Amino acid sequence: MASILDEYEDSQNIRQSSQQHSRLSPANIGITHSGFVNVRLEEEKPIFNKQRIDFTPPEKINHLCVCNNQLCMSLGKDTLLRIDLAKPDQPNQTELGRKEDSKVHKLFLDPTGSHLLISLSTRECLYLNRNTQKVRSLSRWRGHLIESVGWNKLLGNETSTGPILVGISQGIIFEAEISANEGSLFNTNPDQYFRQVHSLEEDGKPAPVCCLEIERGLENKYFIIATTRKRLFQFVGKVPEGSEQQGFSSIFNQNQDLLPSFQEFPANMGYSEITFYTSKLRTSPKAFAWMMGNGVLYGQLDYVRPDSLLSDVQVWEYTSDIDLSLNRPISIVLTQFHFLLLLHDRVKAICTLNGQVVYEDVFPDKFGTLKRMIKDPVGGLVWIYTERAVFRYHIQREARDVWQMYMSMNKFDLAKEYCRDRPECMDMVLAKEAEHCFQNKRYLESAKCYALTQNYFEEIALKFIEAKQEDALKEFLLKKLNNLKQSERTQITLLVTWLAELYLNRLGQLESDGNSLIFQETRTEFRQFMSSSKHKECLFNNRSTIYDLLASHGNVDDMVYFSVVMQDYERVVSHYCQHDNYSDALEVLAKHCDEKLFYKFSPVLMQHIPKNVVDAWIQMGNRLDPKKLIPALMNYSQMGSTQQISETIRYMEFCVYELNVTEEAIHNYLLSLYAKYKPDSLLWYLEQAGTHASEIHYDLKYALRLCAEHGYLQACVLVYRIMELYEEAVDLALQVDVDLAKSCADLPEDDEEMRKKLWLKIARHVVQEEKDVKKAMNCLSSCDLLKIEDILPFFPDFVTIDHFKEAICSSLEEYNQHIEELKQEMEEATESAKRIREDIQEMRNKYGVVDSQEKCAACDFPLLNRPFYLFLCGHMFHYDCLFQEVTPHLSSYKQSRLEDLQKKLASTAQSSKSRHRTAQKEEGDSSSLGKGSAGTTREQIISDIDDIIASECAYCGELMIKSIDKPFIDPQKFEEEKSSWL
């Protein structure tokens, strides 16, 4: 018994031919060929899989009930076996301790599996809680044969059932509550109360209450279903919120004045049974099935309906092999799509969708007569037992073939719902739905379904073409296009081109019919199709074909729109320009900021809307190259539009003053515009452009020629000044204004001779041309280089001296003063020369005394051992020591000079004979060359070396002062020195 559910053996599974014939095949449905190949890799397991429990009861099984994985079994005369299916190896056996003549009539187990009610044939009722071994008698229930119990799913728990309903064989419904607690001192009974709430009748007589079910709907509405042998009663009422613990009396009281709602059938087989299907745990049931004398009443439960809970009710009549007198059905169980009927020797499964028997399982006689069938609402297993054996059914993938049934009933949405994970089945359903819609002339819906199938594309397309349904064909092509992968480029190209042709045909037809509303809707749809990002690549690659299609239909507006979508703005702008729609053309250019298009179309646009074009150019700023716009700027109309010229000048000024363009062509062009059309701005432009040639961005020669052609003398003077042609500038300025010439004459500041020459020109002009003596005298005061004697030759002979008296006197005074200054300078120079000669003589006679113990200031060795130097400051150095001290501080030039002198000195240090010959040769050379060759003698070389290294003391001279900011260690040798100390 320990292995009651741990090990089991498979029983023979019988799948009847009725189930096989109920399967629908594509051939039977009449569906066109599908692209799917349905290949089963292994045999599919049956929906209802029966397994016998490896359990041999020690005594006969009287009754069995299962709920929430708790199995209770009545064995023999007085034994109750309880098994937790989660721990099948730990069964619990309890003795009921009942009387000799009493038998177990029925077992009732609540949804939690905690409360077990044992109805006895002696009209007694026992109670056993899952957590105890003690069987307790319910004294208040005594005297009633319990036929059914309606459990409280909302308030029931492990210790209390909450208010429940109890139906007895006399047709009375009681309300009761059982608590597993021991209770108080005066009340030790588990039953809290037991009171009558209603009674049921059939044909005017009390009838046993076969089944009770309590369900809660929305807004605290409760539904109570009670069945007798022929009738199914419904009680509907509301329980105030918070008063659920008070029970269901109020519901029956609400229906007391009215006859309860019931359904009645004529046949009576002595009992009935109702079962429910719940899709998920702790939710309300969705369907019911009531087994009664005339057959099985089944349908859905609708908690929204105010009057009745039952909806979509159907009656399945018993087949011919079910005889109520000999072979009556015993039990019924409802699953999602089937109900199972238990007969004395077999189980039948009937599909609730079509009412067909899809499964029949015959049990061998060796197990005995089948007694009852129960379904565990929590575990979902179906249990069947005989007196000597227990079986259970696993229900696997019950919905696997439901799609076919829904499809045969034309319930395509439900069919698709149950084959979402089976693409081959989904394809068959879609094809069937598409064919159904097509036959019913719902062509658009048919097209949408066909597009999702794998049927041959050509067949479907021809089907819609033959039916002359272009809209449906278009819908089909659109859906097919959306389902294609990006890699299927050929198919995409075909569909896109075909759809474009269909749209254009439709637009042309609507336009000719004058249906403007549908025309606009279709055009909007077509434009959305052309602008779809998903098909953008295909449209771009085949844009020439689309352009040809649009052109062949004369659809200019959509061609412009398509060009914008394809960013083919050149075509758009060209179209606008051809139709004289220049503003729209400029708008496209300004919106998309394509520089190349600006350069191409600006000449045309500039002729018609110059102001707008220049505004667009200015908005583009640095993105446009002004030099490339010069052709557009120079493309004036034959009439010479003033507006074009002014806008051209405005843009050139923007380039020069705002963008700071330095292109010579731009500045030259602006200069020419100023010279021709705006002379007032010419001089200002030249002045602010700069006064030096390096600052100028225009061509000076071009500017000079331009100004000369138009007679702008003052501008020419300004250009001459920049070109530093001061004589030409003064000559030309004298034709304009003497003051302008004076400003030009002072420009060559570093060339006094030139300044004097220029001022003389001004003076001559003033004297000879203007004959203004006073102004000539002002020239003398304006330029300090001019004297009275310089300008006297310019005056005519008849001019009296009175005009020059002051100037002549002033000039003579300046000469006298200058003579006195020269005399003083000569005296000072003579005195200075005398002092220098005396110093030289004194230096020749100066000497110093060196002691024999004196040491070199650099190496601290005796001084007299080697050639040395003695400085006036008292420092004494060996020749080589001074050389080493001074050389690092010399400039690179002096270092190289010193190196050359040393090489020359070394070359003279040869044998005395050789030196003598060299000396004779040098004397002969000196006699022939004079002083120029004296520097090549040895004494001269030594003298030059002394001038470099012994010009000053190494410790007291400028070399030491200049080295004060130099580091003690050369930075390049710092690391080497640092490592030597480590």
Side-chain angles (χ1 to χ4, degrees):
M1 188 175 295
S3 62
I4 180 171
L5 295 178
D6 190 27
E7 295 181 2
Y8 56 84
E9 61 180 3
D10 293 338
S11 63
Q12 182 180 5
N13 297 316
I14 303 175
R15 185 180 295 268
Q16 300 295 337
S17 60
S18 59
Q19 180 181 5
Q20 297 175 356
H21 292 305
S22 67
R23 298 289 178 92
L24 300 176
S25 63
N28 296 331
I29 301 171
I31 301 174
T32 56
H33 179 73
S34 171
F36 285 101
V37 178
N38 188 10
V39 179
R40 298 187 185 275
L41 298 180
E42 57 183 17
E43 185 180 356
E44 196 170 41
K45 293 182 179 180
I47 296 176
F48 304 100
N49 184 18
K50 182 181 73 175
Q51 300 153 352
R52 183 193 171 192
I53 305 303
D54 185 18
F55 167 64
T56 303
E59 298 178 80
K60 292 182 179 180
I61 301 175
N62 299 321
H63 290 278
L64 184 146
C65 61
V66 182
C67 199
N68 198 20
N69 282 334
Q70 301 296 318
L71 184 146
C72 299
M73 192 184 304
S74 172
L75 301 175
K77 180 180 179 182
D78 200 36
T79 304
L80 182 69
L81 184 65
R82 293 183 294 174
I83 301 173
D84 185 349
L85 298 180
K87 304 173 183 177
D89 55 346
Q90 300 177 13
N92 178 271
Q93 186 171 327
T94 305
E95 299 297 328
L96 297 179
R98 52 190 172 86
K99 299 177 181 178
E100 291 281 339
D101 55 346
S102 65
K103 297 180 181 178
V104 175
H105 177 59
K106 284 186 178 181
L107 297 179
F108 304 97
L109 188 62
D110 80 310
T112 66
S114 302
H115 308 282
L116 176 65
L117 294 176
I118 308 164
S119 175
L120 302 178
S121 60
T122 56
R123 298 180 180 271
E124 292 181 89
C125 190
L126 305 178
Y127 169 71
L128 179 62
N129 189 271
R130 182 173 65 181
N131 299 323
T132 63
Q133 289 286 102
K134 183 179 180 181
V135 179
R136 304 169 72 182
S137 175
L138 302 177
S139 59
R140 292 187 176 89
W141 298 40
R142 196 168 296 150
H144 303 290
L145 183 62
I146 309 301
E147 294 288 346
S148 60
V149 176
W151 298 102
N152 194 326
K153 302 173 185 176
L154 180 65
L155 299 178
N157 54 49
E158 291 186 359
T159 59
S160 174
T161 62
I164 60 175
L165 296 177
V166 180
I168 66 172
S169 59
Q170 298 301 315
I172 301 174
I173 299 176
F174 290 90
E175 184 181 76
E177 183 177 358
I178 301 174
S179 176
N181 297 327
E182 290 296 332
S184 62
L185 179 64
F186 303 100
N187 183 18
T188 59
N189 294 328
D191 49 336
Q192 302 298 309
Y193 61 87
F194 191 77
R195 55 175 177 258
Q196 180 178 342
V197 291
H198 199 74
S199 61
L200 303 178
E201 294 182 353
E202 280 183 1
D203 302 328
K205 298 179 182 179
V209 182
C210 299
C211 297
L212 281 170
E213 182 73 17
I214 304 169
E215 295 298 336
R216 181 185 179 186
L218 302 175
E219 299 177 352
N220 275 10
K221 183 183 287 187
Y222 279 83
F223 299 87
I224 298 174
I225 296 177
T227 64
T228 60
R229 292 166 297 189
K230 299 192 300 180
R231 290 183 177 182
L232 186 150
F233 294 87
Q234 297 182 68
F235 300 91
V236 182
K238 284 190 176 182
V239 176
E241 188 173 356
S243 61
E244 292 87 351
Q245 195 65 40
Q246 297 178 7
F248 307 103
S249 301
S250 59
I251 298 175
F252 291 101
N253 293 334
Q254 293 172 18
N255 293 271
Q256 216 169 25
D257 298 334
L258 303 172
L259 291 175
S261 173
F262 67 88
Q263 288 182 312
E264 183 175 8
F265 291 86
N268 183 357
M269 62 178 183
Y271 58 89
S272 70
E273 184 174 346
I274 192 168
T275 180
F276 299 88
Y277 168 71
T278 304
S279 59
K280 296 180 181 179
L281 187 63
R282 300 189 181 280
T283 58
S284 300
K286 291 186 176 181
F288 78 98
W290 179 39
M291 181 187 71
M292 41 77 184
N294 289 85
V296 176
L297 178 72
Y298 64 95
Q300 304 298 314
L301 298 178
D302 187 354
Y303 296 92
V304 180
R305 295 178 60 183
D307 53 344
S308 175
L309 185 63
L310 313 181
S311 67
D312 299 333
V313 176
Q314 301 179 60
V315 175
W316 181 79
E317 297 181 357
Y318 295 128
T319 56
S320 58
D321 61 333
I322 299 177
D323 187 358
L324 295 182
S325 59
L326 300 175
N327 187 22
R328 292 184 298 178
I330 302 170
S331 292
I332 187 171
V333 164
L334 181 64
T335 63
Q336 186 177 6
F337 297 105
H338 303 85
F339 60 82
L340 279 69
L341 278 180
L342 180 69
L343 304 175
H344 72 281
D345 63 344
R346 69 191 61 199
V347 172
K348 283 190 175 186
I350 296 91
C351 179
T352 57
L353 298 178
N354 55 17
Q356 295 183 6
V357 178
V358 297
Y359 176 79
E360 188 169 351
D361 188 8
V362 179
F363 285 73
D365 295 335
K366 65 178 181 178
F367 298 120
T369 304
L370 302 178
K371 299 194 68 174
R372 188 168 172 78
M373 178 169 58
I374 311 100
K375 180 183 177 184
D376 184 354
V378 178
L381 298 177
V382 177
W383 298 78
I384 298 176
Y385 65 94
T386 66
E387 290 183 347
R388 295 187 295 273
V390 178
F391 303 88
R392 68 179 176 186
Y393 281 91
H394 286 270
I395 302 174
Q396 298 176 336
R397 296 181 61 229
E398 185 181 1
R400 70 180 68 167
D401 297 324
V402 170
W403 64 273
Q404 291 182 338
M405 300 176 191
Y406 278 130
M407 183 174 65
S408 63
M409 298 162 61
N410 293 334
K411 295 182 179 180
F412 301 109
D413 291 337
L414 291 173
K416 288 184 280 190
E417 187 70 27
Y418 289 99
C419 60
R420 289 189 180 277
D421 56 343
R422 300 173 67 182
E424 72 282 358
C425 301
M426 177 68 79
D427 189 73
M428 294 172 65
V429 173
L430 288 169
K432 176 68 175 177
E433 182 181 8
E435 183 66 26
H436 176 76
C437 293
F438 191 90
Q439 291 174 357
N440 289 276
K441 297 184 178 181
R442 291 154 48 196
Y443 296 110
L444 286 177
E445 296 177 32
S446 175
K448 292 177 182 178
C449 294
Y450 269 133
L452 299 175
T453 67
Q454 298 296 321
N455 292 0
Y456 290 131
F457 173 83
E458 299 84 355
E459 291 181 3
I460 300 170
L462 288 173
K463 199 170 187 178
F464 287 116
I465 292 173
E466 291 172 359
K468 297 181 180 180
Q469 295 295 322
E470 285 195 4
D471 289 342
L473 176 61
K474 180 181 66 179
E475 187 67 27
F476 170 69
L477 296 179
L478 282 172
K479 293 292 182 183
K480 270 292 183 185
L481 181 61
N482 291 330
N483 294 334
L484 290 176
K485 299 177 182 178
Q486 291 296 327
S487 58
E488 299 173 308
R489 296 185 179 180
T490 304
Q491 293 88 331
I492 292 175
T493 302
L494 171 65
L495 292 181
V496 166
T497 310
W498 195 354
L499 281 167
E501 178 69 25
L502 289 176
Y503 273 117
L504 291 171
N505 288 337
R506 180 64 173 162
L507 288 172
Q509 181 182 354
L510 291 172
E511 189 174 15
S512 61
D513 294 343
N515 195 335
S516 59
L517 181 60
I518 301 178
F519 175 80
Q520 290 298 330
E521 291 178 355
T522 306
R523 167 169 281 181
T524 302
E525 185 181 346
F526 180 42
R527 291 187 174 184
Q528 288 176 351
F529 169 74
M530 289 193 296
S531 59
S532 172
S533 59
K534 189 174 183 181
H535 316 131
K536 186 174 182 180
E537 183 182 355
C538 176
L539 288 167
F540 183 80
N541 294 334
N542 300 277
R543 61 188 182 277
S544 58
T545 304
I546 305 298
Y547 281 133
D548 293 341
L549 283 174
L550 291 166
S552 65
H553 286 79
N555 196 331
V556 177
D557 293 338
D558 288 323
M559 183 172 68
V560 172
Y561 179 83
F562 180 69
S563 301
V564 173
V565 172
M566 292 293 103
Q567 297 183 356
D568 190 0
Y569 303 119
E570 182 176 354
R571 185 183 294 267
V572 177
V573 176
S574 178
H575 167 77
Y576 284 139
C577 290
Q578 288 172 4
H579 292 78
D580 297 336
N581 196 350
Y582 303 107
S583 297
D584 288 346
L586 181 60
E587 184 179 352
V588 173
L589 289 176
K591 182 177 180 181
H592 301 287
C593 303
D594 191 331
E595 297 86 354
K596 294 181 180 179
L597 294 182
F598 265 105
Y599 301 144
K600 181 174 182 178
F601 292 100
S602 288
V604 178
L605 297 175
M606 192 66 184
Q607 290 183 11
H608 299 88
I609 48 173
K611 183 180 183 306
N612 297 339
V613 173
V614 171
D615 289 340
W617 288 349
I618 290 175
Q619 189 175 4
M620 287 288 289
N622 283 322
R623 285 175 286 183
L624 290 179
D625 185 359
K627 190 166 60 175
K628 295 182 180 180
L629 293 173
I630 290 179
L633 294 168
M634 298 182 68
N635 190 19
Y636 306 132
S637 65
Q638 297 298 325
M639 301 299 294
S641 170
T642 305
Q643 186 183 12
Q644 287 180 343
I645 295 169
S646 61
E647 293 303 326
T648 301
I649 294 175
R650 181 163 72 97
Y651 181 66
M652 288 290 98
E653 288 176 343
F654 171 76
C655 294
V656 171
Y657 302 130
E658 298 294 334
L659 300 182
N660 298 319
V661 175
T662 59
E663 289 285 345
E664 187 178 274
I666 300 300
H667 285 264
N668 288 345
Y669 185 48
L670 179 59
L671 200 62
S672 67
L673 291 173
Y674 279 151
K676 293 179 183 179
Y677 305 108
K678 203 173 179 182
D680 296 340
S681 300
L682 176 61
L683 191 60
W684 178 83
Y685 167 76
L686 293 174
E687 289 175 349
Q688 63 84 34
T691 58
H692 297 284
S694 59
E695 302 172 354
I696 302 302
H697 300 301
Y698 56 84
D699 188 345
L700 288 169
K701 294 180 180 179
Y702 173 74
L704 183 61
R705 184 172 64 253
L706 196 65
C707 295
E709 287 177 358
H710 292 83
Y712 302 135
L713 300 182
Q714 191 172 353
C716 291
V717 171
L718 188 57
V719 175
Y720 276 134
R721 289 171 56 176
I722 298 171
M723 297 173 70
E724 297 183 357
L725 299 175
Y726 302 115
E727 290 189 48
E728 291 81 353
V730 170
D731 291 341
L732 198 57
L734 289 175
Q735 300 178 27
V736 180
D737 184 20
V738 175
D739 292 334
L740 179 60
K742 289 180 179 180
S743 64
C744 296
D746 282 332
L747 290 176
E749 298 176 354
D750 299 333
D751 192 349
E752 292 185 354
E753 185 179 350
M754 175 60 71
R755 283 180 58 202
K756 185 175 181 179
K757 183 178 180 181
L758 297 177
W759 276 102
L760 284 174
K761 284 190 174 190
I762 296 172
R764 174 180 292 178
H765 175 80
V766 171
V767 173
Q768 295 179 354
E769 301 296 333
E770 298 186 5
K771 295 181 172 42
D772 190 341
V773 179
K774 187 176 180 180
K775 192 179 286 188
M777 293 300 101
N778 291 335
C779 290
L780 292 177
S781 60
S782 299
C783 178
D784 55 353
L785 300 177
L786 290 183
K787 304 298 180 182
I788 185 61
E789 58 269 25
D790 295 327
I791 65 172
L792 282 176
F794 303 147
F795 289 96
D797 297 337
F798 55 84
V799 177
T800 60
I801 199 171
D802 295 338
H803 296 88
F804 314 108
K805 183 177 179 180
E806 293 181 5
I808 293 173
C809 292
S810 176
S811 179
L812 291 174
E813 288 177 0
E814 289 179 2
Y815 283 139
N816 289 333
Q817 184 179 355
H818 186 57
I819 290 170
E820 290 298 327
E821 290 176 356
L822 289 176
K823 286 182 179 179
Q824 186 176 354
E825 289 178 1
M826 289 175 64
E827 291 177 357
E828 290 177 356
T830 303
E831 183 65 26
S832 177
K834 182 180 178 182
R835 284 199 300 270
I836 291 172
R837 284 194 296 269
E838 292 175 355
D839 290 341
I840 291 173
Q841 186 63 34
E842 185 179 353
M843 285 296 294
R844 288 176 178 173
N845 298 326
K846 196 167 184 179
Y847 63 92
V849 179
V850 178
D851 193 6
S852 60
Q853 281 82 23
E854 292 292 343
K855 295 182 179 180
C856 175
C859 64
D860 206 27
F861 279 94
L863 186 66
L864 299 178
N865 290 347
R866 301 198 298 273
F868 63 89
Y869 289 96
L870 171 64
F871 292 95
L872 295 176
C873 61
H875 287 110
M876 291 168 277
F877 299 91
H878 289 133
Y879 169 80
D880 53 345
C881 293
L882 181 62
F883 189 88
Q884 293 177 359
E885 289 287 335
V886 173
T887 301
H889 300 284
L890 296 176
S891 64
S892 58
Y893 169 75
K894 287 188 176 182
Q895 287 183 359
S896 61
R897 172 66 176 158
L898 185 61
E899 186 177 352
D900 292 340
L901 291 172
Q902 284 183 310
K903 290 179 180 178
K904 289 181 181 180
L905 184 61
S907 65
T908 59
Q910 296 177 0
S911 63
S912 57
K913 183 177 180 180
S914 177
R915 285 199 303 272
H916 181 68
R917 287 199 303 267
T918 303
Q920 287 180 349
K921 184 178 180 181
E922 287 177 353
E923 288 176 0
D925 292 340
S926 65
S927 62
S928 60
L929 297 175
K931 296 181 179 178
S933 60
T936 58
T937 62
R938 178 180 177 84
E939 290 76 10
Q940 183 63 41
I941 294 173
I942 294 174
S943 175
D944 291 342
I945 294 175
D946 290 343
D947 289 341
I948 294 174
I949 67 172
S951 60
E952 59 181 354
C953 177
Y955 289 172
C956 302
E958 292 184 2
L959 289 177
M960 186 58 66
I961 297 172
K962 291 179 180 179
S963 65
I964 194 170
D965 60 343
K966 293 183 179 180
F968 292 110
I969 302 175
D970 188 352
Q972 298 179 353
K973 299 181 179 180
F974 177 79
E975 293 297 330
E976 181 181 352
E977 188 69 21
K978 178 181 176 182
S979 60
S980 66
W981 282 76
L982 297 177

